[in-house]
Amino acid sequence: DQQVKQNSPSLSVQEGRISILNCDYTNSMFDYFLWYKKYPAEGPTFLISISSIKDKNEDGRFTVFLNKSAKHLSLHIVPSQPGDSAVYFCAAKSSSGTYKYIFGTGTRLKVLA
Amino acid sequence: DSGVTQTPKHLITATGQRVTLRCSPRSGDLSVYWYQQSLDQGLQFLIQYYNGEERAKGNILERFSAQQFPDLHSELNLSSLELGDSALYFCASSHSTDTQYFGPGTRLTVL
């Protein structure tokens, strides 16, 4: 049972345009969400997070939106740069219960110069 | 550099063997997490330790075990290895239960 889903395995975007990466979850108890970026042969790197008390969080070119009623979050990258080409994972956890994160399967973003 | 170190970087071994993967968390982080990433798969949570004690368990096989030592480094032991155990194994650490910082991973190849 995949509780966190990233339904697009890959995405290609032109440099300078907006990249939108999507993530859906099924567990309504999830209340904290993170995005990680992963380059080949490296470990995932923390990008941005959002708690369920917010619906938006911004950090520079990166913005995460949370729609709790739809159980959906998205990561917007504006403007996209070639260095953003990587695999992006979303992760979710519940503050009650166990401390484990559930990760999605990732979306490979390719930003074309 | 996340501050989390993992050794070895690569490991090649044969089926039936046993290996130990090592992780040193960021300075001050009490929690250590282990993940497995198989080819084209997401990160599968294996196990978490907090200050030496097991805190949460995921889809960890009985052939796998882990521990966290008093100096907070952690080891993941994989035994009776099978071809399907070939994967990237990541360790992550955190100070609170929020943001996790990942190490560079150990690539295990079972032949």
Side-chain angles (χ1 to χ4, degrees):
Chain A
D1 176 28
Q2 192 69 27
Q3 296 186 63
V4 177
K5 298 178 187 177
Q6 293 178 256
N7 292 316
S8 298
S10 64
L11 176 68
S12 290
V13 171
Q14 282 297 130
E15 180 179 7
R17 306 294 290 268
I18 183 171
S19 295
I20 301 176
L21 296 98
N22 294 305
C23 180
D24 297 292
Y25 61 97
T26 57
N27 189 337
S28 58
M29 296 298 292
F30 288 151
D31 57 8
Y32 196 76
F33 306 88
L34 303 91
W35 284 93
Y36 283 87
K37 178 169 73 173
K38 185 182 179 304
Y39 293 118
E42 294 183 13
T45 304
F46 169 72
L47 203 52
I48 193 168
S49 63
I50 188 167
S51 86
S52 59
I53 61 172
K54 291 185 170 183
D55 53 19
K56 177 182 172 182
N57 189 25
E58 269 182 277
D59 184 2
R61 296 185 298 112
F62 302 91
T63 303
V64 56
F65 295 92
L66 176 62
N67 182 332
K68 289 186 288 295
S69 61
K71 296 193 182 70
H72 176 84
L73 63 155
S74 60
L75 174 69
H76 293 210
I77 307 174
V78 185
S80 301
Q81 300 174 354
D84 297 328
S85 298
V87 177
Y88 290 79
F89 292 97
C90 68
K93 79 169 183 73
S94 166
S95 296
S96 60
T98 68
Y99 295 88
K100 66 180 184 182
Y101 278 94
I102 306 296
F103 279 79
T105 50
T107 296
R108 185 178 301 276
L109 173 66
K110 188 170 183 180
V111 179
L112 307 169
Chain B
D1 183 359
S2 66
V4 178
T5 60
Q6 288 187 250
T7 56
K9 197 171 176 63
H10 301 278
L11 199 48
I12 301 174
T13 188
T15 54
Q17 295 298 305
R18 172 190 166 97
V19 296
T20 298
L21 313 184
R22 183 188 167 104
C23 169
S24 292
R26 293 187 323 157
S27 176
D29 285 357
L30 298 179
S31 282
V32 169
Y33 309 77
W34 286 98
Y35 292 86
Q36 179 192 58
Q37 186 186 20
S38 301
L39 190 63
D40 291 333
Q41 298 290 313
L43 291 157
Q44 298 295 320
F45 169 74
L46 296 178
I47 198 164
Q48 179 206 355
Y49 279 82
Y50 178 82
N51 203 20
E53 294 189 4
E54 183 183 304
R55 178 63 71 90
K57 217 166 186 174
N59 299 322
I60 187 166
L61 300 171
E62 284 192 14
R63 300 183 285 109
F64 296 1
S65 65
Q67 53 185 326
Q68 186 180 27
F69 295 88
D71 67 352
L72 301 177
H73 91 270
S74 178
E75 293 181 355
L76 178 67
N77 300 296
L78 316 175
S79 61
S80 303
L81 284 167
E82 301 175 359
L83 295 177
D85 297 328
S86 295
L88 270 167
Y89 291 85
F90 289 104
C91 165
S93 75
S94 70
H95 179 69
S96 65
T97 56
D98 294 336
T99 305
Q100 296 177 17
Y101 295 87
F102 283 79
T106 292
R107 182 175 292 281
L108 174 66
T109 303
V110 182
L111 302 175

